[in-house]
Amino acid sequence: MKLPIKQAFKVFFTFLLVAGALPGKAQSINIEEIVRQADEKFRGTSSIGELTMIIERPTWSRTVSMKNWTLGNDYSLIYISAPAKEKGQVFLKRDNEMWNWVPNIERMIKIPPSMMMQSWMGSDFTNDDLVKESSMADDYDQELLGEEKIQDYLCYKIQLIPHDDAAVVWGEVIMWISKEEHHWLKAEFYDEDGYLVNTEILSDIKKMDDRVMPTRLEMIPADEEGNKTVLIFNQIDFNVKIEESFFSQQNMKSIR
């Protein structure tokens, strides 16, 4: 038996909605999962890496080489291998606490909470950037703002607003994540008053161990023209065996 014209149209319209065939009504996008995948490209159960940090200022630049060991989000150890003036300095993070071993004066310095927002090694990163445990997927609500092309990648433009109880410093983050590969390619960080503080540009997509990810990160402060810090991931091995005991103050003095 044939359906009345109006009812048949209604059934057909419903089918299009379900199938995602109508413009603007495509199958729902799991933005939280996309943000999680982009964020976790830089994470692992553990990792060992070699990095180069270039601090650029209008009249000078400085390069710092380092090795980095991590275990989950709670443990991190950074050994400075160059330049000679700072070689041997070590930074240790355990949970939300941080220490600095300075071999020239043979002194172990605990970095207090009041210094967490200060510059790390004279760069545009802060001490807090080293110890933060925030997850872009778990600590923020995500909203899709639209699509935009970044570095020839068509990207989701996503707004992140922190949960009321989240231990984060940003009032808002805007992220650009490639649609197909889920590469995190750009982020803007705003304070609680809505002012842009930092812009982060990620590029140079390469295979690192078991994943393909951006390997060059530029942090550009909004209010300091000509300043930026470039962090280059030279090599990273993920999900390697590291014991918690490795991340100790005693090991800070002997690590090379």
Side-chain angles (χ1 to χ4, degrees), residues 6-25:
K6 287 185 178 180
Q7 187 175 352
F9 180 79
K10 183 177 180 181
V11 171
F12 180 66
F13 183 80
T14 302
F15 168 78
L16 289 178
L17 284 175
V18 172
L22 287 179
K25 295 294 184 179

Side-chain angles (χ1 to χ4, degrees), residues 35-47 68 70 72-73 175 182-185 200 202-203 205 211-217 231 233 236 238:
V35 170
R36 186 183 305 280
Q37 289 183 24
D39 193 22
E40 290 182 352
K41 282 179 185 278
F42 299 91
R43 302 173 184 261
T45 57
S46 60
S47 70
N68 184 37
T70 70
N73 295 330
M175 293 180 70
H182 296 168
H183 295 318
W184 177 353
L185 296 177
E200 188 177 55
L202 300 99
S203 60
I205 310 297
R211 64 200 68 189
V212 177
M213 56 179 278
T215 61
R216 179 185 173 92
L217 187 158
L231 189 64
F233 300 91
I236 306 180
F238 291 98

Side-chain angles (χ1 to χ4, degrees), residues 2 192 199:
K2 292 184 178 180
E192 294 181 347
T199 298

Side-chain angles (χ1 to χ4, degrees), residues 52-239:
T52 300
M53 181 173 70
I54 305 168
I55 304 166
E56 298 186 5
R57 298 295 181 257
T59 58
W60 58 268
S61 68
R62 185 165 71 96
T63 299
V64 179
S65 300
M66 65 191 84
K67 298 179 182 178
N68 184 37
W69 295 260
T70 70
L71 180 61
N73 295 330
D74 296 326
Y75 302 96
S76 176
L77 191 147
I78 298 173
Y79 170 81
I80 305 300
S81 54
K85 183 179 179 181
E86 278 127 353
K87 183 177 181 178
Q89 279 204 58
V90 181
F91 296 85
L92 171 67
K93 170 208 168 181
R94 289 181 64 91
D95 296 321
N96 60 350
E97 295 184 317
M98 185 174 172
W99 290 268
N100 177 203
W101 167 249
V102 185
N104 292 343
I105 59 175
E106 295 189 348
R107 185 179 176 190
M108 184 74 68
I109 302 170
K110 184 174 182 181
I111 299 176
S114 60
M115 292 180 61
M116 294 311 292
M117 294 307 294
Q118 291 190 9
S119 169
W120 181 70
M121 298 287 294
S123 72
D124 295 299
F125 296 100
T126 65
N127 290 316
D128 185 70
D129 289 326
L130 271 69
V131 302
K132 65 182 179 182
E133 302 171 21
S134 61
S135 164
M136 292 298 186
D138 296 332
D139 294 327
Y140 293 82
D141 291 321
Q142 303 87 15
E143 180 180 348
L144 180 62
L145 299 181
E147 297 180 2
E148 191 172 319
K149 185 166 281 191
I150 300 288
Q151 302 171 36
D152 294 327
Y153 289 89
L154 186 59
C155 296
Y156 293 117
K157 183 178 179 181
I158 302 168
Q159 179 188 49
L160 297 96
I161 302 295
H163 301 158
D164 291 338
D165 58 349
V168 298
V169 299
W170 305 115
E172 177 187 8
V173 180
I174 306 294
M175 293 180 70
W176 285 260
I177 299 174
S178 64
K179 292 183 64 175
E180 298 296 328
E181 306 83 0
H182 296 168
H183 295 318
W184 177 353
L185 296 177
K186 181 180 176 182
E188 294 177 345
F189 298 89
Y190 296 82
D191 64 18
E192 294 181 347
D193 296 321
Y195 290 100
L196 177 65
V197 178
N198 288 322
T199 298
E200 188 177 55
I201 306 294
L202 300 99
S203 60
D204 201 5
I205 310 297
K206 293 181 181 178
K207 191 173 192 299
M208 285 283 166
D209 195 22
D210 62 350
R211 64 200 68 189
V212 177
M213 56 179 278
T215 61
R216 179 185 173 92
L217 187 158
E218 297 183 22
M219 187 68 77
I220 306 168
D223 58 353
E224 298 177 65
E225 187 175 355
N227 287 15
K228 73 175 178 179
T229 298
V230 180
L231 189 64
I232 300 171
F233 300 91
N234 301 313
Q235 179 182 340
I236 306 180
D237 294 318
F238 291 98
N239 303 323

